[in-house]
Amino acid sequence: MAHKATGHKELRQAVAFCRRMSAEPPPLAIVLGSGFGGVMEAFEGKWVETDQIPGCPRPKVPGHAGRWGWGRLGKAPVLLLSGRVHYYEQGSMAEAIFATRVLAEYGVQNLLLTNAAGCINARWRCGDLMVVRDHINFMGANPLCEMGWKSFADFVDLSATYDAELRKWLHASALKAGLKLREGVYLAVSGPSYETPAEIRAFERLGAQAVGMSTVPEAIVARRYGLRVAALSCLTNMAAGLAKTAISHEEVITTGKRNSQQNSEVIRIFAQKFAPAPKGG
Ligand code: HPA
C-alpha cells in the first residue's frame, strides 16, 4: 500500500520523535546511499527503524535499509540515515523529501548526501568517488512544489547549493584517507529505468559527469531551509554506452560494496570537523 507522508501533522510528530531521541539535534546528518554502508561499522549509537518514526516512509529498494541512527562517528555527534526513499518508488516527491524536512525542522544544520551514480566521464573509472560541485535537475519535477508555495522565500537561490567549505573538507578528508576524489556535476533523472546511450551523450554535452536518481530533491529542500549541503557520489558503473556490458542494480550494489570501506573512511574523517571542541586547556 502506498505510504502517505505529506502532512504537517506527520512532520510535527516525526520531529517530536527526533527530540525524544535527542533533545539537541546533532550538527550533522548523513544520508547513506549504495556504496557507503561501511559508515555504519564506524558508528556507535542507537538505531531505530523508519517504521517507528511517525509518517516516515520506508525505502523499498534492496541495499537501502531504512533506519535512522543517533550516535557518534569517532568524536562527532551524527544522525545517520541508512537508506532513502527515491522519487521513482511511488512517483512522490512528498515521500522523497519527507526525511529532509524532518531533519531541517528538527534543527540539523549540515547535511551530507551520498549516492551511487553512473559515471559519464569516459576518462574516469568505475569505483571513483566524486564530490558534487553542482547539479542539473532533469527529474521533471521540483520538490518545492510539494511543499506548497508560501512566500518569496520559496524562490530558492541554488547558485551555491553545495557548500564550498564542506567540499574543501571533503577533499582534505579524502587526501587523509589516501583516496583520489573527483569533483563534478551530478545530473538527476527520475528513473527507475537507466538511461539510453543517446541520453548519456546529451548529458555529457550538458556538462554532467555523473548521473543518478536521488540527492537533488533532498539538496533543494535542504537549501530551502538554509542547511549547508554536501554530496558524494560513488561512481558504481560506467553510464549507458560507455561500457560493453548492460547496467544492472547488482553491478551498482557490488561496486558500491567493494568501495564502501574506503568511501566510509573519507566520511568518518570528514565528520570529525563536527566534533565538539575539547573542554579546558
Ligand atoms: N544511472 C542512473 N542512476 C544510477 C546509475 C546510472 O547509471 N548508477 C547508479 N545509479
Side-chain angles (χ1 to χ4, degrees):
M1 197 179 85
H3 199 107
K4 207 164 162 295
T6 52
H8 289 279
K9 191 168 130 239
E10 285 96 341
L11 199 58
R12 265 203 321 274
Q13 288 175 342
V15 172
F17 178 93
C18 292
R19 297 222 164 95
R20 285 196 296 279
M21 291 300 295
S22 164
E24 174 111 1
L28 173 67
I30 307 172
V31 178
L32 300 176
S34 312
F36 295 89
V39 172
M40 289 189 275
E41 285 157 37
F43 173 78
E44 284 174 62
K46 187 170 167 16
W47 287 104
V48 298
E49 298 294 319
T50 35
D51 298 337
Q52 288 176 252
I53 305 171
C56 198
R58 186 180 185 79
K60 293 173 186 65
V61 182
H64 286 262
R67 289 188 294 164
W68 292 33
W70 275 259
R72 286 174 185 277
L73 271 181
K75 292 196 166 67
V78 296
L79 175 45
L80 282 192
L81 274 66
S82 164
R84 61 155 60 81
V85 175
H86 300 80
Y87 176 48
Y88 60 74
E89 291 180 41
Q90 299 285 349
S92 162
M93 274 293 173
E95 295 202 358
I97 62 172
F98 185 79
T100 310
R101 296 183 72 182
V102 173
L103 295 175
E105 302 248 350
Y106 178 31
V108 169
Q109 293 195 341
N110 299 276
L111 179 62
L112 174 61
L113 300 162
T114 68
N115 61 58
C119 180
I120 294 179
N121 188 328
R123 289 183 299 279
W124 295 355
R125 292 236 211 109
C126 181
D128 281 359
L129 188 63
M130 184 189 95
V131 60
V132 177
R133 186 189 327 120
D134 204 350
H135 76 228
I136 298 172
N137 182 6
F138 225 83
M139 287 185 141
N142 191 301
L144 298 180
C145 294
E146 287 294 339
M147 290 170 56
W149 194 91
K150 284 184 220 71
S151 72
F152 287 104
D154 288 309
F155 292 125
V156 178
D157 173 43
L158 294 179
S159 50
T161 310
Y162 302 90
D163 189 84
E165 192 176 20
L166 296 186
R167 279 191 281 136
K168 221 160 73 186
W169 290 354
L170 282 167
H171 278 290
S173 306
L175 200 66
K176 260 198 193 161
L179 205 71
K180 190 182 176 80
L181 187 58
R182 309 288 192 182
E183 183 164 314
V185 173
Y186 174 97
L187 185 144
V189 290
S190 69
S193 63
Y194 290 116
E195 301 69 40
T196 64
E199 285 169 340
I200 293 301
R201 284 194 298 275
F203 295 165
E204 202 256 332
R205 288 184 178 196
L206 290 178
Q209 280 79 45
V211 59
M213 304 174 192
S214 69
T215 299
V216 163
E218 294 137 291
I220 294 174
V221 168
R223 288 306 300 144
R224 166 67 182 83
Y225 282 97
L227 272 72
R228 290 207 297 175
V229 178
L232 278 178
S233 297
C234 176
L235 306 178
T236 49
N237 56 282
M238 295 311 285
L242 294 180
K244 291 196 175 68
T245 51
I247 302 167
S248 69
H249 186 61
E250 288 70 36
E251 180 189 10
V252 171
I253 298 288
T254 309
T255 314
K257 279 203 176 125
R258 198 166 47 240
N259 293 282
S260 168
Q261 215 56 47
Q262 55 178 40
N263 295 346
S264 303
E265 182 58 7
V266 176
I267 291 181
R268 193 195 59 77
I269 296 169
F270 169 79
Q272 301 320 300
K273 287 279 183 192
F274 297 91
K279 287 202 180 87

